[in-house]
Amino acid sequence: MIGLTSLWINGGLMVSPELNRPRALVVLGKIDEILAWEKTKERERDERFVELGQYLCEVRAGQYWRLENLKSFDEFLEKRFPESRRKAYYLMAIHEHLTRIPKRQLREVGWSKATELIKVARRDGAEFDCATWLHKAKELPKEDFKRAVECHLTGKETEHWEIIYFKLYKSQLPVVERALEIAALMLGSDKSRGYCLEMICADFLAGAALETGRPEQDTGCHTSSGNPLVNSRRTASTDIRQDE
């Protein structure tokens, strides 16, 4: 069995292609040349990723790794991409799945956006709207384009987010954890901790509005009407007034 790229076809082992030594030497030399540039020139890497993916696909198809006495294509990738073979497979996927986009235009959108385009092309198949997505890739900033792809794949709108860090003493953790736990029980276990924290804050603002008599919009709370925590506080407040 020849490496990990051998295939069984109609019950028989696929015959290895005849090794084209002159072409293999050229292609392997080109790969090494691009990888050497990649270490020193960030711009070159972003411009030549299309070419590199094409050469890698040719190495796999022609089994050029045999020229270096390697056992498989995976062993070849491990030698050329010691940090991550995943990148090599992304490069090859760009070459294989984005065939309808001219190479020049792929170079213009860059490596990062091209990997996002792969996701759409795989998902949509023959219905992939090449021109529309290429236009989006050119016009949108990288993060906005990633959100557009995510929305297309999941059908869910996404919004900007931030990671916020708090310093808490160990004595404070049980209170915070318990509050988030109770909020999750009231709001639904599928809700994120960030959403639960938002609703707890909205509840606090609604409570402040009830105590001071100021409208909720003055406290900066704009989501309390749909907040079960706030609604429960309002119900409790109404019951107290009725008892009085």
Side-chain angles (χ1 to χ4, degrees):
M1 187 171 182
I2 302 173
L4 299 177
T5 58
S6 299
L7 299 175
W8 290 91
I9 301 178
N10 296 328
L13 186 64
M14 183 180 69
V15 178
S16 300
E18 183 179 351
L19 182 60
N20 185 339
R21 288 182 174 273
R23 179 60 184 171
L25 286 170
V26 171
V27 172
L28 295 176
K30 286 289 187 181
I31 290 175
D32 289 337
E33 176 187 336
I34 295 172
L35 291 177
W37 269 347
E38 185 178 282
K39 295 179 180 179
T40 57
K41 297 184 178 181
E42 189 73 21
R43 180 178 177 84
E44 287 287 355
R45 177 179 66 179
D46 212 38
E47 289 181 351
R48 302 196 68 178
F49 70 90
V50 179
E51 185 180 1
L52 183 55
Q54 177 184 346
Y55 287 138
L56 288 172
C57 286
E58 187 174 345
V59 169
R60 181 178 60 183
Q63 297 188 0
Y64 294 166
W65 70 81
R66 290 184 291 156
L67 193 66
E68 299 180 352
N69 296 319
L70 300 175
K71 296 179 180 179
S72 67
F73 182 61
D74 270 359
E75 189 175 344
F76 169 80
L77 291 183
E78 188 174 354
K79 180 180 178 181
R80 290 306 198 286
F81 297 84
E83 296 179 358
S84 173
R85 282 178 288 177
R86 182 180 179 184
K87 174 186 174 182
Y89 283 113
Y90 267 127
L91 292 169
M92 295 164 66
I94 289 171
H95 175 71
E96 292 174 328
H97 292 279
L98 302 180
T99 55
R100 293 160 55 190
I101 302 179
K103 294 180 180 179
R104 178 181 60 81
Q105 293 183 316
L106 274 178
R107 295 188 189 100
E108 289 176 1
V109 302
W111 147 264
S112 297
K113 291 181 178 178
T115 58
E116 295 298 320
L117 284 171
I118 293 171
K119 299 175 185 178
V120 181
R122 282 174 170 167
R123 157 76 179 275
D124 293 354
E127 297 180 358
F128 175 51
D129 191 344
C130 174
T132 298
W133 281 103
L134 183 61
H135 177 73
K136 289 182 179 181
K138 289 180 178 179
E139 297 298 322
L140 294 176
K142 183 169 65 174
E143 290 303 318
D144 290 345
F145 182 66
K146 288 181 68 174
R147 278 191 290 273
V149 171
E150 184 68 19
C151 179
H152 178 73
L153 297 178
T154 64
K156 298 179 181 178
E157 291 288 344
T158 58
E159 59 178 305
H160 293 278
W161 55 271
E162 290 185 29
I163 297 178
I164 301 177
Y165 295 92
F166 292 97
K167 177 181 177 180
L168 294 173
Y169 293 103
K170 288 185 178 180
S171 61
Q172 296 174 313
L173 283 175
V175 177
V176 175
E177 291 288 351
R178 183 58 179 159
L180 290 171
E181 181 183 340
I182 292 175
L185 290 172
M186 296 179 67
L187 299 169
S189 58
D190 61 321
K191 302 299 183 183
S192 69
R193 288 165 69 88
Y195 178 77
C196 291
L197 179 60
E198 178 193 359
M199 294 300 102
I200 291 171
C201 293
D203 180 41
F204 173 81
L205 292 174
L210 288 173
E211 292 293 334
T212 61
R214 293 170 56 196
E216 288 181 16
Q217 56 266 30
D218 292 345
T219 64
C221 179
H222 302 288
T223 59
S224 62
S225 60
N227 183 351
L229 304 182
V230 175
N231 293 336
S232 65
R233 179 186 287 273
R234 284 174 173 162
T235 301
S237 177
T238 301
D239 292 342
I240 290 172
R241 290 196 187 100
Q242 288 175 350
D243 291 341
E244 292 174 349

